[in-house]
Amino acid sequence: MKQYIKPHPWKIIEEGLLPEYNKVSESIFSLGNGKIGQRGNFEEYYSGETLRGNYISGIYYPDKTRVGWWKNGYPEYFAKVLNAPDWTGIKITVNNQKLDLHTCKITEFKRVLNMEKGYFRKRYTAEFPDGKKIKVKSKRFLSIVNDELGVIKFSIKPVNFDGTIEVLADIDADILNSDANYDEKFWIEIEKSTAVKPYVISETKKTFYRVCTAADIKAKYENSEIELSNLEKIEHEKYVGFKFSLPVKKGKTTTIFKFAAVTSSLYYEKNILAKEAYDILEYAEDKGYETLLKEQEDAWHQKWEESDIEIEGDVSAQQGIRFNIFQLNQTYTGQDERLNIGPKGFTGEKYGGSTYWDTEAYLLPFYLSTAEQKVSKQLLKYRYNHLEKAIENAEKLGFKNGAALYPMVTMNGEECHNEWEITFEEIHRNGAIAYAVKDYVRYTGDTEYLAKYGLEVLIGISRFWAQRVNFSEDKHQFVMLGVTGPNEYENNVNNNWYTNLQAVKTLQYTKESIDFIKEKYPENFKTLAEKTKFEEKEINHWKEISENMYFPYDEKRKIFIQQDGFLDKELKSASELSHLERPIHQNWSWDRILRSCYIKQADVLQGIYFFEEDYELDTIRRNFDFYEPFTVHESSLSSCVHSILASKIGNEKHAYDFYLNAARLDLDDYNNDTEDGLHITSMGGTWMTIVKGFAGMRIKNDKLNFSPFIPKKWKSYSFKIGFRKAWLKFEIFRNEMKIANESDFDAEIILFDKIQKIRKKEIIKIQSTVGNA
């Protein structure tokens, strides 16, 4: 664990340049706007260890699968969001000495991610080998007002000399993905120019996406603009740059402004990419830096108005949750139903930037509650649009009659994960996607979505489950063999409790939905039945399965058994492991892990979290107390579920500790892997630990339900929830609650099992003994 980030409620601050942590910091200081993103790399030369990264959502490459033993059904490629052309370069040279932050003497270094206003800035003093010193300040942001625009302000002040500096402002499209299976470069050059404003048009191999990256350079000396003359125009393969000299004087500031436009064939015809990029640069020039920055700050202010969580009395917790919310808001905006959210967002290349079941399980609730309804709906439409591919995926594995198996990893709906225990066995992802349909409809009341899109998805998934189970003559029940549950430290197990549960719940909800749509949307159902060739006898079979599914259960302990044979393991608490063995996936053989009792992330507890309303409190407590000690929490998705359930059973210490682990997972690099990128998809879970955990939010009978408590370290906390037409702000104190209805619609909630009405624009105070858990 690393704790070099300074505590602050609104800022992420690193003081002192720490080369050994630079790749971690590059992840932490990442920027994005939903369409483009980049790691927190330096604009200057840096010869130290670094992972330069710029990413464009939706632009990917099908990297040929690399496995030792090919099996039927394997995907032919692993889709990867590509490291895209780098436009950030502002390289400085003084007297033939490069400003290299790794080789120059750097003092007074500070970099800051201003989450409140949406920009990244840094400052430092650099001393060159000949003794010359300069002070540097830079500020960079990716506009969320115009999501194809990036902006840099870069200022230089000589400390002890007059002279000239040489500036190289470049665009580098000769990029390599660090995770390329065969060290292949994925971009080819189509066109480049330095005639007016420099640009490079690149095209991806195989997928043929085109991207134009263009830039414009301005400069000022103190407050006066400098005309850039005698530009040296540099061109070589997949690279363009402008080199120029600027006069500088001791104590006086020279500032360079770099505006960049990134346009792609996802949104424009290929033959007009350069024109569109130039139009964006002209827009930026007309606005000017200060106006663009002000618009950025105003736009982020609005985002925080909708999604902020404020904590009083615990700066570490406050910084953590805002960091998570900031990253969620800059990763996905819901503007394009073709886009989704990769586990690393715009912050790194691990997991290929592809979509996993994380979206439905951990991210959807955040967007449901903090953004307009169309944002969460886009996430569900993404899966609907991939239904035909999901059916094809199932067919490749031998399933028939419209059965749908959604991919574990995807960009375009095709499965592209290349590990057999994931591709073939971790089929519980289907259940998360079905659950998301229910979650969305229950939260929004949007039954029209169910009629037009959701039910068709549910039927496809239910057909898969019906074919995936088999009837055991020995048990006289249906069983599911050869699966991997959420705990990926177990493979090829039989009757994973969670997977069996998801199958049953999907079948039941599909039947309920069919009955509802038949009654409320009969024409839609008729059309759907014809399209899917649905037969009523399918429902009877689904009912038979759901009523006769086998679930492993321990009568002695009165707990659900994770899978057949789990209790045969040597049951030793994870607390008995030496810290030198942690994380076990980095220190143990896979054979040893598979034979152990150690659980990577919530498995049985994941099912209890999803379907908590089905279980009594004592049942939840028994299962939590049994499984948590064996859980090593080596998945970023683990802590949030444990925190929420700990809140439910009144275990405040566990609830708070797991919250802090989730909130500061990347800031403190708990798992020693932040350098690969941030854990974006788990950040939705962090939000849930407060709203669903500490505040106890649930949806019951079409109403918001709350049963809040306050962790001992906090004086108060507050958050906003958008629910259907209402917009409510909750402020929770030790002995009082305030609820403000900021909308024009009356609202009715359930608070501690009692109905509470809040009229439009009304603020109510409720005396309560919220206290601790």
PDB file of all heavy atoms in Angstrom, residues 352-373:
ATOM      1  N   GLY A 352      -7.955  -4.815 -21.872  1.00  0.00           N
ATOM      2  CA  GLY A 352      -8.267  -4.458 -23.240  1.00  0.00           C
ATOM      3  C   GLY A 352      -9.248  -3.317 -23.414  1.00  0.00           C
ATOM      4  O   GLY A 352      -9.584  -2.959 -24.534  1.00  0.00           O
ATOM      5  N   GLY A 353      -9.735  -2.735 -22.319  1.00  0.00           N
ATOM      6  CA  GLY A 353     -10.718  -1.666 -22.451  1.00  0.00           C
ATOM      7  C   GLY A 353     -12.085  -2.159 -22.870  1.00  0.00           C
ATOM      8  O   GLY A 353     -12.972  -1.374 -23.218  1.00  0.00           O
ATOM      9  N   SER A 354     -12.283  -3.478 -22.841  1.00  0.00           N
ATOM     10  CA  SER A 354     -13.539  -4.070 -23.293  1.00  0.00           C
ATOM     11  C   SER A 354     -14.600  -4.048 -22.195  1.00  0.00           C
ATOM     12  O   SER A 354     -14.323  -3.738 -21.036  1.00  0.00           O
ATOM     13  CB  SER A 354     -13.300  -5.514 -23.745  1.00  0.00           C
ATOM     14  OG  SER A 354     -12.370  -5.560 -24.805  1.00  0.00           O
ATOM     15  N   THR A 355     -15.819  -4.428 -22.564  1.00  0.00           N
ATOM     16  CA  THR A 355     -16.943  -4.432 -21.640  1.00  0.00           C
ATOM     17  C   THR A 355     -17.056  -5.788 -20.944  1.00  0.00           C
ATOM     18  O   THR A 355     -16.991  -6.837 -21.590  1.00  0.00           O
ATOM     19  CB  THR A 355     -18.250  -4.140 -22.393  1.00  0.00           C
ATOM     20  OG1 THR A 355     -18.145  -2.862 -23.006  1.00  0.00           O
ATOM     21  CG2 THR A 355     -19.438  -4.160 -21.460  1.00  0.00           C
ATOM     22  N   TYR A 356     -17.230  -5.753 -19.646  1.00  0.00           N
ATOM     23  CA  TYR A 356     -17.441  -6.941 -18.820  1.00  0.00           C
ATOM     24  C   TYR A 356     -18.812  -6.834 -18.143  1.00  0.00           C
ATOM     25  O   TYR A 356     -19.502  -5.827 -18.270  1.00  0.00           O
ATOM     26  CB  TYR A 356     -16.365  -7.052 -17.736  1.00  0.00           C
ATOM     27  CG  TYR A 356     -14.988  -7.454 -18.217  1.00  0.00           C
ATOM     28  CD1 TYR A 356     -14.251  -6.640 -19.079  1.00  0.00           C
ATOM     29  CD2 TYR A 356     -14.392  -8.637 -17.794  1.00  0.00           C
ATOM     30  CE1 TYR A 356     -12.981  -6.997 -19.507  1.00  0.00           C
ATOM     31  CE2 TYR A 356     -13.117  -9.002 -18.208  1.00  0.00           C
ATOM     32  CZ  TYR A 356     -12.417  -8.174 -19.060  1.00  0.00           C
ATOM     33  OH  TYR A 356     -11.157  -8.539 -19.480  1.00  0.00           O
ATOM     34  N   TRP A 357     -19.165  -7.864 -17.359  1.00  0.00           N
ATOM     35  CA  TRP A 357     -20.422  -7.846 -16.614  1.00  0.00           C
ATOM     36  C   TRP A 357     -20.385  -6.824 -15.482  1.00  0.00           C
ATOM     37  O   TRP A 357     -21.411  -6.535 -14.871  1.00  0.00           O
ATOM     38  CB  TRP A 357     -20.761  -9.230 -16.069  1.00  0.00           C
ATOM     39  CG  TRP A 357     -19.810  -9.760 -15.024  1.00  0.00           C
ATOM     40  CD1 TRP A 357     -18.567 -10.269 -15.243  1.00  0.00           C
ATOM     41  CD2 TRP A 357     -20.036  -9.846 -13.608  1.00  0.00           C
ATOM     42  NE1 TRP A 357     -17.992 -10.663 -14.055  1.00  0.00           N
ATOM     43  CE2 TRP A 357     -18.870 -10.422 -13.038  1.00  0.00           C
ATOM     44  CE3 TRP A 357     -21.090  -9.510 -12.773  1.00  0.00           C
ATOM     45  CZ2 TRP A 357     -18.736 -10.659 -11.669  1.00  0.00           C
ATOM     46  CZ3 TRP A 357     -20.960  -9.739 -11.409  1.00  0.00           C
ATOM     47  CH2 TRP A 357     -19.797 -10.309 -10.871  1.00  0.00           C
ATOM     48  N   ASP A 358     -19.215  -6.259 -15.222  1.00  0.00           N
ATOM     49  CA  ASP A 358     -19.072  -5.228 -14.203  1.00  0.00           C
ATOM     50  C   ASP A 358     -20.065  -4.084 -14.427  1.00  0.00           C
ATOM     51  O   ASP A 358     -20.577  -3.482 -13.469  1.00  0.00           O
ATOM     52  CB  ASP A 358     -17.666  -4.628 -14.238  1.00  0.00           C
ATOM     53  CG  ASP A 358     -16.558  -5.664 -14.177  1.00  0.00           C
ATOM     54  OD1 ASP A 358     -16.835  -6.847 -14.427  1.00  0.00           O
ATOM     55  OD2 ASP A 358     -15.417  -5.276 -13.902  1.00  0.00           O
ATOM     56  N   THR A 359     -20.291  -3.749 -15.697  1.00  0.00           N
ATOM     57  CA  THR A 359     -21.174  -2.619 -16.011  1.00  0.00           C
ATOM     58  C   THR A 359     -22.546  -2.808 -15.380  1.00  0.00           C
ATOM     59  O   THR A 359     -23.069  -1.906 -14.709  1.00  0.00           O
ATOM     60  CB  THR A 359     -21.321  -2.464 -17.536  1.00  0.00           C
ATOM     61  OG1 THR A 359     -20.057  -2.098 -18.092  1.00  0.00           O
ATOM     62  CG2 THR A 359     -22.340  -1.386 -17.875  1.00  0.00           C
ATOM     63  N   GLU A 360     -23.131  -3.964 -15.601  1.00  0.00           N
ATOM     64  CA  GLU A 360     -24.487  -4.205 -15.108  1.00  0.00           C
ATOM     65  C   GLU A 360     -24.518  -4.359 -13.591  1.00  0.00           C
ATOM     66  O   GLU A 360     -25.462  -3.909 -12.930  1.00  0.00           O
ATOM     67  CB  GLU A 360     -25.065  -5.462 -15.762  1.00  0.00           C
ATOM     68  CG  GLU A 360     -25.484  -5.277 -17.197  1.00  0.00           C
ATOM     69  CD  GLU A 360     -24.332  -5.249 -18.196  1.00  0.00           C
ATOM     70  OE1 GLU A 360     -23.208  -5.701 -17.838  1.00  0.00           O
ATOM     71  OE2 GLU A 360     -24.537  -4.776 -19.325  1.00  0.00           O
ATOM     72  N   ALA A 361     -23.487  -4.985 -13.030  1.00  0.00           N
ATOM     73  CA  ALA A 361     -23.512  -5.298 -11.603  1.00  0.00           C
ATOM     74  C   ALA A 361     -23.125  -4.121 -10.723  1.00  0.00           C
ATOM     75  O   ALA A 361     -23.660  -3.963  -9.625  1.00  0.00           O
ATOM     76  CB  ALA A 361     -22.582  -6.484 -11.316  1.00  0.00           C
ATOM     77  N   TYR A 362     -22.204  -3.279 -11.200  1.00  0.00           N
ATOM     78  CA  TYR A 362     -21.619  -2.276 -10.310  1.00  0.00           C
ATOM     79  C   TYR A 362     -21.772  -0.834 -10.788  1.00  0.00           C
ATOM     80  O   TYR A 362     -21.639   0.091  -9.985  1.00  0.00           O
ATOM     81  CB  TYR A 362     -20.131  -2.568 -10.109  1.00  0.00           C
ATOM     82  CG  TYR A 362     -19.870  -3.950  -9.565  1.00  0.00           C
ATOM     83  CD1 TYR A 362     -19.544  -5.006 -10.411  1.00  0.00           C
ATOM     84  CD2 TYR A 362     -19.969  -4.215  -8.204  1.00  0.00           C
ATOM     85  CE1 TYR A 362     -19.327  -6.284  -9.918  1.00  0.00           C
ATOM     86  CE2 TYR A 362     -19.760  -5.480  -7.696  1.00  0.00           C
ATOM     87  CZ  TYR A 362     -19.430  -6.518  -8.559  1.00  0.00           C
ATOM     88  OH  TYR A 362     -19.231  -7.784  -8.061  1.00  0.00           O
ATOM     89  N   LEU A 363     -22.022  -0.622 -12.059  1.00  0.00           N
ATOM     90  CA  LEU A 363     -22.059   0.735 -12.584  1.00  0.00           C
ATOM     91  C   LEU A 363     -23.467   1.261 -12.820  1.00  0.00           C
ATOM     92  O   LEU A 363     -23.727   2.451 -12.628  1.00  0.00           O
ATOM     93  CB  LEU A 363     -21.261   0.812 -13.891  1.00  0.00           C
ATOM     94  CG  LEU A 363     -19.762   0.596 -13.738  1.00  0.00           C
ATOM     95  CD1 LEU A 363     -19.103   0.478 -15.103  1.00  0.00           C
ATOM     96  CD2 LEU A 363     -19.114   1.714 -12.948  1.00  0.00           C
ATOM     97  N   LEU A 364     -24.350   0.400 -13.263  1.00  0.00           N
ATOM     98  CA  LEU A 364     -25.701   0.844 -13.594  1.00  0.00           C
ATOM     99  C   LEU A 364     -26.373   1.604 -12.439  1.00  0.00           C
ATOM    100  O   LEU A 364     -26.989   2.647 -12.678  1.00  0.00           O
ATOM    101  CB  LEU A 364     -26.559  -0.354 -14.018  1.00  0.00           C
ATOM    102  CG  LEU A 364     -28.001  -0.037 -14.409  1.00  0.00           C
ATOM    103  CD1 LEU A 364     -28.049   0.839 -15.657  1.00  0.00           C
ATOM    104  CD2 LEU A 364     -28.802  -1.328 -14.634  1.00  0.00           C
ATOM    105  N   PRO A 365     -26.275   1.146 -11.182  1.00  0.00           N
ATOM    106  CA  PRO A 365     -26.953   1.883 -10.101  1.00  0.00           C
ATOM    107  C   PRO A 365     -26.497   3.337  -9.979  1.00  0.00           C
ATOM    108  O   PRO A 365     -27.321   4.219  -9.695  1.00  0.00           O
ATOM    109  CB  PRO A 365     -26.587   1.073  -8.847  1.00  0.00           C
ATOM    110  CG  PRO A 365     -26.383  -0.321  -9.356  1.00  0.00           C
ATOM    111  CD  PRO A 365     -25.709  -0.135 -10.691  1.00  0.00           C
ATOM    112  N   PHE A 366     -25.218   3.603 -10.180  1.00  0.00           N
ATOM    113  CA  PHE A 366     -24.723   4.982 -10.085  1.00  0.00           C
ATOM    114  C   PHE A 366     -25.386   5.861 -11.131  1.00  0.00           C
ATOM    115  O   PHE A 366     -25.883   6.952 -10.820  1.00  0.00           O
ATOM    116  CB  PHE A 366     -23.204   5.004 -10.260  1.00  0.00           C
ATOM    117  CG  PHE A 366     -22.634   6.390 -10.402  1.00  0.00           C
ATOM    118  CD1 PHE A 366     -22.450   7.195  -9.298  1.00  0.00           C
ATOM    119  CD2 PHE A 366     -22.284   6.892 -11.655  1.00  0.00           C
ATOM    120  CE1 PHE A 366     -21.937   8.480  -9.421  1.00  0.00           C
ATOM    121  CE2 PHE A 366     -21.774   8.173 -11.798  1.00  0.00           C
ATOM    122  CZ  PHE A 366     -21.600   8.975 -10.668  1.00  0.00           C
ATOM    123  N   TYR A 367     -25.400   5.415 -12.378  1.00  0.00           N
ATOM    124  CA  TYR A 367     -25.968   6.232 -13.443  1.00  0.00           C
ATOM    125  C   TYR A 367     -27.493   6.326 -13.334  1.00  0.00           C
ATOM    126  O   TYR A 367     -28.086   7.346 -13.696  1.00  0.00           O
ATOM    127  CB  TYR A 367     -25.539   5.692 -14.807  1.00  0.00           C
ATOM    128  CG  TYR A 367     -24.047   5.789 -15.021  1.00  0.00           C
ATOM    129  CD1 TYR A 367     -23.241   4.664 -14.971  1.00  0.00           C
ATOM    130  CD2 TYR A 367     -23.439   7.019 -15.246  1.00  0.00           C
ATOM    131  CE1 TYR A 367     -21.868   4.748 -15.150  1.00  0.00           C
ATOM    132  CE2 TYR A 367     -22.068   7.122 -15.423  1.00  0.00           C
ATOM    133  CZ  TYR A 367     -21.284   5.981 -15.366  1.00  0.00           C
ATOM    134  OH  TYR A 367     -19.929   6.088 -15.529  1.00  0.00           O
ATOM    135  N   LEU A 368     -28.135   5.278 -12.808  1.00  0.00           N
ATOM    136  CA  LEU A 368     -29.572   5.344 -12.577  1.00  0.00           C
ATOM    137  C   LEU A 368     -29.926   6.490 -11.638  1.00  0.00           C
ATOM    138  O   LEU A 368     -30.911   7.200 -11.838  1.00  0.00           O
ATOM    139  CB  LEU A 368     -30.078   4.033 -11.966  1.00  0.00           C
ATOM    140  CG  LEU A 368     -30.407   2.877 -12.911  1.00  0.00           C
ATOM    141  CD1 LEU A 368     -30.678   1.610 -12.107  1.00  0.00           C
ATOM    142  CD2 LEU A 368     -31.600   3.208 -13.797  1.00  0.00           C
ATOM    143  N   SER A 369     -29.113   6.679 -10.603  1.00  0.00           N
ATOM    144  CA  SER A 369     -29.457   7.624  -9.540  1.00  0.00           C
ATOM    145  C   SER A 369     -28.908   9.021  -9.733  1.00  0.00           C
ATOM    146  O   SER A 369     -29.404   9.963  -9.107  1.00  0.00           O
ATOM    147  CB  SER A 369     -28.957   7.082  -8.190  1.00  0.00           C
ATOM    148  OG  SER A 369     -29.642   5.908  -7.834  1.00  0.00           O
ATOM    149  N   THR A 370     -27.883   9.178 -10.572  1.00  0.00           N
ATOM    150  CA  THR A 370     -27.202  10.481 -10.630  1.00  0.00           C
ATOM    151  C   THR A 370     -27.263  11.152 -11.997  1.00  0.00           C
ATOM    152  O   THR A 370     -26.747  12.263 -12.146  1.00  0.00           O
ATOM    153  CB  THR A 370     -25.723  10.337 -10.235  1.00  0.00           C
ATOM    154  OG1 THR A 370     -25.046   9.519 -11.207  1.00  0.00           O
ATOM    155  CG2 THR A 370     -25.582   9.713  -8.858  1.00  0.00           C
ATOM    156  N   ALA A 371     -27.851  10.515 -12.973  1.00  0.00           N
ATOM    157  CA  ALA A 371     -27.897  11.085 -14.326  1.00  0.00           C
ATOM    158  C   ALA A 371     -29.305  10.947 -14.880  1.00  0.00           C
ATOM    159  O   ALA A 371     -30.132  10.196 -14.346  1.00  0.00           O
ATOM    160  CB  ALA A 371     -26.893  10.388 -15.242  1.00  0.00           C
ATOM    161  N   GLU A 372     -29.572  11.667 -15.960  1.00  0.00           N
ATOM    162  CA  GLU A 372     -30.891  11.533 -16.577  1.00  0.00           C
ATOM    163  C   GLU A 372     -31.088  10.107 -17.077  1.00  0.00           C
ATOM    164  O   GLU A 372     -30.137   9.380 -17.366  1.00  0.00           O
ATOM    165  CB  GLU A 372     -31.052  12.545 -17.715  1.00  0.00           C
ATOM    166  CG  GLU A 372     -29.982  12.492 -18.782  1.00  0.00           C
ATOM    167  CD  GLU A 372     -30.143  13.603 -19.794  1.00  0.00           C
ATOM    168  OE1 GLU A 372     -31.284  14.000 -20.044  1.00  0.00           O
ATOM    169  OE2 GLU A 372     -29.129  14.068 -20.353  1.00  0.00           O
ATOM    170  N   GLN A 373     -32.337   9.696 -17.195  1.00  0.00           N
ATOM    171  CA  GLN A 373     -32.678   8.300 -17.430  1.00  0.00           C
ATOM    172  C   GLN A 373     -32.051   7.730 -18.697  1.00  0.00           C
ATOM    173  O   GLN A 373     -31.688   6.555 -18.742  1.00  0.00           O
ATOM    174  CB  GLN A 373     -34.202   8.160 -17.495  1.00  0.00           C
ATOM    175  CG  GLN A 373     -34.696   6.730 -17.627  1.00  0.00           C
ATOM    176  CD  GLN A 373     -36.206   6.654 -17.530  1.00  0.00           C
ATOM    177  OE1 GLN A 373     -36.805   7.243 -16.639  1.00  0.00           O
ATOM    178  NE2 GLN A 373     -36.822   5.934 -18.451  1.00  0.00           N
TER     179      GLN A 373
END
